[in-house]
Every structure is written in C-alpha cells, then in structure tokens.
Amino acid sequence: MFAFVFMQTPDSAAAASPLHTGGSQHIFDDAYKSQLSCVVVDDIERLLDYVPIGPRFSNLVLQALLVLLKKAPPQGRKLLIIGTTSRKDVLQEMEMLNAFSTTIHVPNIATGEQLLEALELLGNFKDKERTTIAQNVKGKKVWIGIKKLLMLIEMSLQMDAEYRVRKFLALLREEGASERPSKGVGCTVGLLSLSCFTKLPCHKTGKNSMSSAQLHHALGAHGGNRASWWLA
C-alpha cells in the first residue's frame, strides 16, 4: 500500500498547482518522506503547455520535470512515478522518454469483450444490466478510450434504473464507439519510472502492450487508488 499518492493533472495545474509554477520540488519532497510513494503525472504534454502550432512549450517546466524524474530518492525510500501522454512522439523529441524506465502502450477498448471487462471492474452496472449490454455488443467492434467510457457511464447513471442500460448503449452509438477509426487514433502511452522500486508485474496482451482494463488491474494490485489509474 502506498503511504503517499499524488496525482498531478492539467486541471490542477491550471489552478496554479506547485508543479506548474516551478515548485515541483515540494511534491517530491513530500513523497520522499514516506518509504513507499507514488507520483502520477497525467497528460504530460498539456502540463508542458505544448501546442502543435510552432511548436511551443514551457521549457522551464520541462527541465524541472527532467531533473526530478532522474533524481534518485533518499536511501531507504521507494518512489514510483507514472506519466501518461497521447503524444509519445513529442516527448521523444523533448528527450523525456529516456527519463522513464519503461513505456507501456495502452490502446483503446476495441472489442465488446474488453468493454464488458472494463464495466465489470468499474462495478457501475449490476450483473443483469451487464448481461443486457453483453447481448448488444457481443461480436461487435468498439473503439473508445477509458476516459470517454467513464463519462458515458456517468451520464447514463443519471437516468432511472430501468433506462440506464438503454441510455448507455445509445450514447455508445452516438459517440461512434462501434466504428473503429484508423489505426493509431486515440491511444495513450503510460510511462513508468521505478526509482529503487521492485519490478512491477505487467499482464501483457502483446509486446509492450496492455489493455486499459489490464493496466488498471495491474496498478490497482499494488495498493494505489484504482480509480486514479483509470483517469491517468
């Protein structure tokens, strides 16, 4: 169980968080106080104020992150750093990928079976409701990211119980989630930096590849806030 977990998102950065204003050292100092800590840096390219026109980004935040990612924790302390990005090519050009120990490709949910696995792990729908959903997505291709799925679930849960499944399936169709786009669209890359950390088991579906649900399960097994891993 992680004694300290901090999740940095672009939303919190916009609210003048320590990481975005140059005080990122405080976050890691707090993490170093515990023997087992985890820092999640979500959507790194947005934290760097990256825009493709130019391109432009904050070199100050980039250099601060690079220093902290490469810094070893104090003796007797273990720190797991998780970063997420949908622009691996950008981080490669910024020479940030080398600061992480490994890279895990997290594709979108692509089949009805994967969708049902995700719904079972999330636990928002009852068994009977998931059975109805299974009948509608069985043998069909879907294409949806986990963040989008969470949003659709939340919208459907606002309905009365008897209409929730119908609403969820309608939202899937409206989002075009049953039609797979061109290869490489909408994928996320997870970056893991293991500082003096034991090996993290990965349930691989292919070479350096994990489904969103499997990444959620693998990270959750290490005692973190499982909901956070879905959002990362």
Side-chain angles (χ1 to χ4, degrees), residues 3-4 10 13 30 46 83 92 99 111 132 139 164 179 197-198 208 217:
F4 176 88
D30 289 340
R46 287 187 60 200
Q92 182 72 56
T111 66
T132 303
R164 294 198 308 178
E179 297 180 3
F197 204 82
T198 55
N208 294 328
H217 179 72

Side-chain angles (χ1 to χ4, degrees), residues 207-219:
K207 185 177 180 181
N208 294 328
S209 177
M210 297 175 68
S211 70
S212 299
Q214 287 171 322
L215 179 63
H216 173 281
H217 179 72
L219 293 176

Side-chain angles (χ1 to χ4, degrees), residues 81-115:
I81 304 172
I82 301 175
T84 70
T85 180
S86 56
R87 293 298 306 270
K88 180 182 176 182
D89 56 326
V90 172
L91 299 193
Q92 182 72 56
E93 293 180 359
M94 294 179 180
E95 299 183 352
M96 179 172 280
L97 291 185
N98 294 334
F100 289 89
S101 302
T102 186
T103 302
I104 300 175
H105 178 66
V106 186
N108 280 355
I109 293 173
T111 66
E113 290 73 16
Q114 291 178 1
L115 175 63

Side-chain angles (χ1 to χ4, degrees), residues 7-231:
M7 185 168 183
Q8 178 65 43
T9 66
D11 292 337
S12 57
S17 69
L19 183 59
H20 200 257
T21 57
S24 52
Q25 183 66 50
H26 297 300
I27 297 173
F28 283 78
D29 286 343
D30 289 340
Y32 295 151
K33 293 176 183 178
S34 302
Q35 291 187 346
L36 187 61
S37 302
C38 177
V39 174
V40 182
V41 185
D42 185 35
D43 209 348
I44 296 177
E45 66 273 16
R46 287 187 60 200
L47 286 171
L48 298 176
D49 293 330
Y50 170 80
V51 291
I53 301 175
R56 298 177 57 187
F57 64 93
S58 172
N59 187 57
L60 179 64
V61 178
L62 171 62
Q63 297 304 320
L65 271 176
L66 287 174
V67 169
L68 292 171
L69 288 173
K70 295 179 180 180
K71 182 180 179 180
Q75 186 175 2
R77 299 290 189 265
K78 297 179 181 180
L79 174 62
L80 171 63
I81 304 172
I82 301 175
T84 70
T85 180
S86 56
R87 293 298 306 270
K88 180 182 176 182
D89 56 326
V90 172
L91 299 193
Q92 182 72 56
E93 293 180 359
M94 294 179 180
E95 299 183 352
M96 179 172 280
L97 291 185
N98 294 334
F100 289 89
S101 302
T102 186
T103 302
I104 300 175
H105 178 66
V106 186
N108 280 355
I109 293 173
T111 66
E113 290 73 16
Q114 291 178 1
L115 175 63
L116 293 173
E117 181 183 356
L119 293 178
E120 183 178 358
L121 286 171
L122 289 169
N124 298 104
F125 291 106
K126 299 178 181 178
D127 292 343
K128 185 177 180 180
E129 292 174 325
R130 290 200 303 271
T131 299
T132 303
I133 295 174
Q135 293 172 349
N136 284 269
V137 301
K138 183 178 180 180
K140 295 183 179 180
K141 291 183 178 180
V142 298
W143 190 255
I144 187 171
I146 196 64
K147 281 187 177 181
K148 177 69 71 173
L149 176 61
L150 285 171
M151 183 189 73
L152 298 188
I153 291 174
E154 184 62 29
M155 293 173 64
S156 63
L157 292 180
Q158 304 306 313
M159 306 293 292
D160 293 335
E162 58 183 309
Y163 299 111
R164 294 198 308 178
V165 172
R166 187 184 306 175
K167 180 65 174 179
F168 176 71
L169 293 172
L171 290 171
L172 277 179
R173 289 191 294 269
E174 291 173 6
E175 290 293 331
S178 60
E179 297 180 3
R180 181 170 180 171
S182 58
K183 185 178 180 181
V185 176
C187 295
T188 300
V189 174
L191 309 167
L192 300 181
S193 177
L194 292 78
S195 302
C196 300
F197 204 82
T198 55
K199 185 177 181 181
L200 182 70
C202 295
H203 307 288
K204 296 185 178 180
T205 57
K207 185 177 180 181
N208 294 328
S209 177
M210 297 175 68
S211 70
S212 299
Q214 287 171 322
L215 179 63
H216 173 281
H217 179 72
L219 293 176
H222 281 256
N225 183 338
R226 298 185 67 180
S228 296
W229 307 133
W230 280 108
L231 297 174

